[in-house]
Amino acid sequence: MEKPMSVITTERHGDILVIISNNPPVNALGAEVRIGIDKGIKEAAADDSIKAVVIRCDGRTFFAGADITEFGKPPVEPWLPALVESIELSEKPVIAAVHGTALGGGCEVALGCHYRIAVPSAQFGTPEVKLGLLPGAGGTQRLPRVAGVELALELTGKGDPIPATKAKEAGLVDRLAGEDSLVADAIAFAGEVKDVRPIPRIRDKTATASPELFETFRKANAKRFRGFDAPEANIKCVEAATKLPFAEGLDFERQEFTKLMFGTQSAAMRHIFFAERKAAKIDGIAPDIALRPIRKVGMIGAGTMGGGISMNFLSAGIPVTIVEMKQDALDRGTGIIRKNYEATAAKGRMKPEQVEKAMGLLTPTLNLEDLADCDLIIEAVFENMDVKKEVFGKLDKIAKPGAILASNTSYLNIDEIAASTSRPQDVLGLHFFSPANVMKLLEVVRGAKTADDVLATAMDVAKKIRKVAVVAGVCDGFIGNRMLKPRQFEAMKLLMEGATPSQIDKVHVDFGMPMGPFQMSDLAGVDIGWHRDPTRIENIRDALAAIGRWGQKTGKGFYDYDEKRNPSPSAEVQKIIDDFAAKSGATKREISDEEIIERTLYTMVNEGALILEEEMAQRASDIDVVWIYGYGWPIYRGGPMFWADLEGADKIVKGLEKHGFEVAPLLKEKAAAKGRFN
Ligand code: T1G
């Protein structure tokens, strides 16, 4: 996006000076912006004819934070905390005029101002914790003083914004402007307050809270933010605001901010912030390519996936015609969609009228022909190539010209499916992750013949239905499941050599994963992909499936489960493992956690390197995005390839070679050159 000549300009309106930022796309508080604001504040101080200052932004939003692209580079003065201080210590009242999202440093600039006026649609937030940071320009000291400690803990600890209306109730906003008259209202407001003395400064207020409040937030964080450093640092800083004088509180905040800024967790989370946005870009396709309009979606299959996928479109206001072969399956599927919406409404996250609106966009039918006018048709039928080919063959005859035909397959060959139509250029994969209405990741699988505009349209639709989309090539398992395979394979082998399901899962959970390989199998279903012949027992999984140990859904899998689905190790499973190990002649031995990491996580990195070599992913950061949003890889470790950079390619190569793995050439290259994937 072209930057204007000067990102900061000023205007005089009588005795009011208006400082205007025009730094697209989000008025990030980069060096030029800070220098310009500082200059404006100094100009106001030096000119007696100026009685008050308004700070506002052009474009779509008030400052959306410090410029994250500047992090890690040599800082340029004025630093943001110093700029906020100079605004607050100004002898002339400064008014923040807020629209869009005043986030992070943007919110802190507003807090340094003496008054805040905002349009009702504006939002205020301190999302630094989502970048592994904390508000480092005085936010942890000013927020508790102006909005109360509890709201400050909410805002800094979770990082979600609040609307201006709530901010006004809390005292964070002084006045609401007309939605379309912010500039005029802000200048008028400045005229009202220009002579008010003493000038109200948040630093002069105090913040108090009971010690129990901090403990309450700490307890909630212990589960929700297991392994993260920033949430506790945010609490410590807000707590300091209730105990230390303002200046000392600022120093404490600075110390805590610096620790986080230079730690690996924030580097990882900032990496993912940009990686997620980069994933939306398709190399080699013009960003302004004409897209195919998607006004109506067809869904084939009303099972768990078909229903979940449909909800994404219904919630985005896009009508869906959903097809099943039998009435009872159709009724069950649409009933589950309604039940899911009603459960969301019961939690207060949706209004009843929104449920009805979404359901009103759903058209159930038994006739495939009813999809003839759909712009995008997605199938989520049985995961079998013959069945998929039959469906696409029929779609080829029914769908209108230009309709996009997508398969939700999790590993089947999209090119083979496309070849069963006369329009392979309109075919691609849309691999949703279960539960499809919840999981953010969407692998968009590009066939050899998929047209550019079809791919670009799919990426655009993904954004509309609030998915994080990643382009994948056609290979077994695409990106995520392809890397999952060696991990699960090695985990099973480790069982034969003496490790237990609990030990292996614990290594992964301690690493930061939400669950380990065997807990995941029990959740997804041990019987997924099983040949269903209980007499054919070729491995541990067959043995468990044959005796009904299908996982949580049958109350037992690799673990036994109580009525609350709490797992406990199973003696029966351990005996099956031991019998298999004995039969295979494997000698049981003590297996270290380090070996488990090397054989289950290093092998994933190795597969990731192969994926990059084969161009099945556009970039290493895309692989990171897949694992963060599809499998719960801890975001504070930045994804498998980012983590590999921190581990060091040479250490990973040595670890793989120690266990006799064939190392991907690209990984060897990185090791030799001490290079990085990201
Ligand atoms: N710095 C630099 N670039 C940013 C940016 C930022 N703060 N925010 C967004 N961008 C880029 C983004 O990479 C993308 O670029 C484009 O703007 C549009 O963003 C000291 C330390 C504001 C809600 O965490 O949450 O202040 O891909 O696609 O969906 O205490 O951007 O087009 O090249 O996300 O409409 C705190 C982060 C920083 C806010 C808009 N602030 N941004 O969402 O657009 S740390 C944040 C957002 C800080 C101080 C601390 C969102 C948005 P490109 P987008 P969007």
Side-chain angles (χ1 to χ4, degrees):
M1 180 159 308
E2 275 308 300
K3 285 205 188 304
M5 287 304 281
S6 61
V7 289
I8 294 286
T9 53
T10 56
E11 277 173 4
R12 281 296 293 266
H13 291 262
D15 53 8
I16 310 295
L17 178 75
V18 182
I19 300 174
I20 305 159
S21 171
N22 184 4
N23 184 29
V26 296
N27 280 303
L29 286 150
E32 275 183 272
V33 174
R34 299 196 304 274
I35 291 165
I37 294 172
D38 195 43
K39 194 160 151 278
I41 293 294
K42 288 190 167 72
E43 182 189 328
D47 182 337
D48 291 343
S49 69
I50 294 170
K51 302 293 181 206
V53 178
V54 169
I55 297 179
R56 70 177 187 82
C57 291
D58 272 343
R60 60 173 156 148
T61 180
F62 193 73
F63 309 110
D67 184 338
I68 315 173
T69 62
E70 284 184 352
F71 293 174
K73 293 175 190 157
V76 174
E77 298 201 59
W79 300 355
L80 194 54
L83 176 65
V84 174
E85 281 253 79
S86 69
I87 293 169
E88 188 168 55
L89 297 177
S90 154
E91 285 306 320
K92 296 179 181 172
V94 183
I95 293 90
V98 177
H99 72 295
T101 50
L103 298 178
C107 184
E108 291 172 295
V109 164
L111 290 169
C113 294
H114 308 110
Y115 300 92
R116 286 151 293 281
I117 181 169
V119 295
S121 64
Q123 295 198 321
F124 289 78
T126 47
E128 288 89 338
V129 71
K130 295 182 178 175
L131 294 171
L133 295 169
L134 53 83
T140 66
Q141 304 305 303
R142 292 190 175 91
L143 264 179
R145 285 177 165 81
V146 71
V149 173
E150 185 160 7
L151 181 56
L153 287 170
E154 281 285 337
L155 286 169
T156 59
K158 290 197 186 121
D160 298 331
I162 56 171
T165 44
K166 185 171 176 196
K168 180 153 186 327
E169 281 161 25
L172 181 51
V173 165
D174 301 285
R175 182 161 304 177
L176 292 177
E179 197 61 48
D180 303 320
S181 56
L182 175 62
V183 178
D185 292 354
I187 291 167
F189 185 34
E192 278 177 49
V193 299
K194 65 186 179 185
D195 300 322
V196 171
R197 295 296 183 272
I199 292 177
R201 293 183 176 91
I202 292 176
R203 64 193 303 126
D204 300 333
K205 296 171 182 278
T206 53
T208 54
S210 67
E212 291 73 28
L213 183 65
F214 299 106
E215 284 329 300
T216 309
F217 273 81
R218 285 195 165 96
K219 274 205 197 81
N221 280 354
K223 198 162 177 313
R224 174 186 166 127
F225 293 117
R226 176 171 64 86
F228 287 86
D229 295 336
E232 174 53 24
N234 273 280
I235 291 179
K236 276 164 63 176
C237 288
V238 172
E239 201 168 23
T242 65
K243 292 182 176 157
L244 299 176
F246 185 75
E248 286 175 44
L250 282 184
D251 289 345
F252 183 79
E253 176 192 272
R254 175 62 31 199
Q255 283 163 35
E256 290 300 310
F257 177 82
T258 306
K259 271 192 261 177
L260 293 174
M261 169 60 90
F262 294 102
T264 55
Q265 289 202 359
S266 181
M269 294 166 82
R270 298 196 310 267
H271 162 70
I272 291 300
F273 175 85
F274 289 116
E276 181 186 327
R277 287 154 179 81
K278 215 185 291 178
K281 296 175 171 82
I282 313 162
D283 295 343
I285 295 184
D288 58 354
I289 186 172
L291 305 177
R292 297 188 189 184
I294 303 296
R295 298 182 196 85
K296 191 172 177 189
V297 170
M299 186 71 238
I300 306 173
T304 311
M305 289 308 285
I309 293 170
S310 301
M311 289 180 69
N312 294 305
F313 294 94
L314 297 171
S315 303
I318 301 172
V320 175
T321 299
I322 188 164
V323 180
E324 256 298 349
M325 290 193 287
K326 293 205 184 74
Q327 191 62 48
D328 63 337
L330 187 60
D331 294 344
R332 190 167 51 251
T334 52
I336 289 171
I337 292 175
R338 172 172 285 281
K339 195 162 70 63
N340 286 342
Y341 276 130
E342 286 171 352
T344 305
K347 289 179 204 144
R349 294 212 303 263
M350 220 177 157
K351 296 190 181 74
E353 55 271 25
Q354 287 174 301
V355 172
E356 294 319 315
K357 181 165 178 283
M359 292 307 293
L361 293 171
L362 182 65
T363 306
T365 178
L366 297 174
N367 302 320
L368 208 56
E369 291 70 23
D370 290 346
L371 304 186
D373 64 343
C374 291
D375 306 295
L376 165 65
I377 301 171
I378 306 169
E379 63 77 17
V381 298
F382 186 57
E383 197 71 341
N384 169 285
M385 184 54 91
D386 294 340
V387 173
K388 303 272 189 203
K389 283 181 171 176
E390 188 194 347
V391 166
F392 274 79
K394 287 180 185 162
L395 282 181
D396 197 23
K397 296 183 180 59
I398 295 165
K400 69 180 184 183
I404 294 175
L405 310 180
S407 169
N408 173 55
T409 180
S410 56
Y411 67 95
L412 294 174
N413 186 312
I414 291 294
D415 293 332
E416 216 180 308
I417 292 172
S420 61
T421 74
S422 63
R423 48 174 117 179
Q425 71 283 359
D426 297 339
V427 178
L428 47 58
L430 290 181
H431 178 214
F432 289 84
F433 283 69
S434 184
N437 53 310
V438 173
M439 294 299 283
K440 299 277 287 176
L441 180 67
L442 176 62
E443 282 181 324
V444 179
V445 188
R446 179 182 206 171
K449 297 194 173 127
T450 301
D452 287 355
D453 67 325
V454 168
L455 182 64
T457 301
M459 297 300 278
D460 182 65
V461 164
K463 192 160 184 171
K464 286 196 174 81
I465 62 174
R466 303 166 65 80
K467 293 296 180 190
V468 177
V470 175
V471 178
V474 177
C475 61
D476 185 5
F478 312 133
I479 297 172
N481 286 344
R482 175 167 165 180
M483 291 169 71
L484 185 66
K485 219 166 163 182
R487 187 193 86 166
Q488 298 300 95
F489 182 75
E490 281 305 310
M492 291 298 274
K493 272 181 71 182
L494 283 159
L495 290 187
M496 301 284 277
E497 296 171 33
T500 63
S502 306
Q503 180 193 3
I504 295 168
D505 283 346
K506 183 176 184 308
V507 167
H508 282 244
V509 171
D510 290 350
F511 179 82
M513 299 298 286
M515 60 185 80
F518 300 104
Q519 292 158 322
M520 189 175 133
S521 292
D522 278 356
L523 179 67
V526 177
D527 62 318
I528 297 280
W530 177 49
H531 46 65
R532 309 264 155 211
D533 175 359
T535 60
R536 200 175 114 207
I537 296 181
E538 290 155 2
N539 54 46
I540 293 170
R541 203 277 299 269
D542 286 351
L544 298 188
I547 56 174
R549 280 188 166 271
W550 291 5
Q552 288 191 23
K553 59 189 171 190
T554 56
K556 56 184 182 178
F558 282 95
Y559 297 92
D560 291 333
Y561 292 90
D562 65 20
E563 63 292 340
K564 290 208 179 82
R565 295 203 168 197
N566 296 314
S568 54
S570 154
E572 183 181 43
V573 169
Q574 195 52 54
K575 184 160 180 335
I576 289 172
I577 293 170
D578 294 344
D579 291 350
F580 254 97
K583 252 190 283 176
S584 74
T587 44
K588 286 189 76 166
R589 61 186 170 86
E590 197 61 35
I591 292 181
S592 69
D593 291 356
E594 189 198 12
E595 179 172 347
I596 292 171
I597 289 278
E598 288 166 348
R599 290 177 55 179
T600 57
L601 295 186
Y602 283 11
T603 44
M604 280 175 55
V605 171
N606 201 36
E607 199 63 37
L610 291 171
I611 285 169
L612 289 169
E613 276 170 29
E614 298 164 23
E615 299 184 348
M616 292 296 121
Q618 294 191 94
R619 47 189 88 86
S621 60
D622 282 12
I623 295 175
D624 293 332
V625 170
V626 163
W627 270 84
I628 298 279
Y629 290 104
Y631 300 83
W633 181 282
I635 193 167
Y636 58 79
R637 290 187 186 272
M641 310 317 277
F642 184 91
W643 172 70
D645 291 339
L646 294 183
E647 281 287 287
D650 46 351
K651 183 181 172 198
I652 293 178
V653 167
K654 284 198 190 77
L656 289 167
E657 285 173 342
K658 185 168 61 172
H659 302 293
F661 290 106
E662 194 184 331
V663 180
L666 177 61
L667 182 50
K668 273 193 194 148
E669 229 177 84
K670 295 290 177 193
K674 293 225 177 304
R676 300 168 64 94
F677 286 104
N678 281 299

